[in-house]
Amino acid sequence: MGDNRSDILQGTLDLMVLKTLESMGPLHGYGIARRIEQVSGQTLILNQGTIYPALLRLEQRGWIKADWGMSETNRRARFYSLTRVGKSRIVEETRNWERVAATMALFLARPK
């Protein structure tokens, strides 16, 4: 990309959203995006065109649900939270990404 920010691999954002909601509880989309940026040390920058399609996808899968509420700036916002299915998916999705990371580590290891 030319700067220190990383592109997000397809599918990684789903797990980041699920883990954020698991640790923080219900949040609106803007709050989820900012928390992911914070945890990543600002190496990931999420815009509306990135976070909201992911939230819609997760909601359609039944992994999260959305309810209307008031944000800290007194604006109406959709607050997302994990469903029971979403909580169980975190375990499976984590296993999948641990396998991917272990496989990538093999490719990135220096030849002996």
Side-chain angles (χ1 to χ4, degrees):
M1 267 179 61
D3 59 24
N4 290 332
R5 297 184 184 141
S6 300
D7 289 327
I8 299 174
L9 283 174
Q10 185 176 354
T12 57
L13 183 55
D14 292 353
L15 183 55
M16 288 182 218
V17 169
L18 294 174
K19 292 294 288 180
T20 298
L21 292 174
E22 179 184 52
S23 66
M24 301 292 295
L27 287 172
H28 49 74
Y30 180 82
I32 293 168
R34 298 301 75 84
R35 179 63 180 164
I36 290 171
E37 291 172 357
Q38 180 186 34
V39 170
S40 77
Q42 307 302 319
T43 61
L44 300 175
I45 301 299
L46 303 178
N47 60 38
Q48 290 182 355
T50 304
I51 192 67
Y52 287 102
L55 292 169
L56 178 60
R57 181 175 57 250
L58 293 171
E59 191 174 10
Q60 289 173 339
R61 290 178 182 164
W63 297 2
I64 64 173
K65 66 177 184 166
D67 295 303
W68 287 100
M70 295 299 283
S71 72
E72 49 284 335
T73 59
N74 288 324
R75 293 185 182 202
R76 215 174 112 123
R78 292 186 80 192
F79 283 78
Y80 298 89
S81 59
L82 286 174
T83 63
R84 188 175 314 152
V85 174
K87 289 176 185 175
S88 67
R89 288 303 307 172
I90 289 174
V91 174
E92 184 62 30
E93 295 298 312
T94 299
R95 279 192 207 121
N96 290 341
W97 280 105
E98 285 171 343
R99 278 194 295 274
V100 169
T103 301
M104 285 304 300
L106 295 172
F107 283 94
L108 296 174
R110 295 180 187 198
K112 297 181 179 182

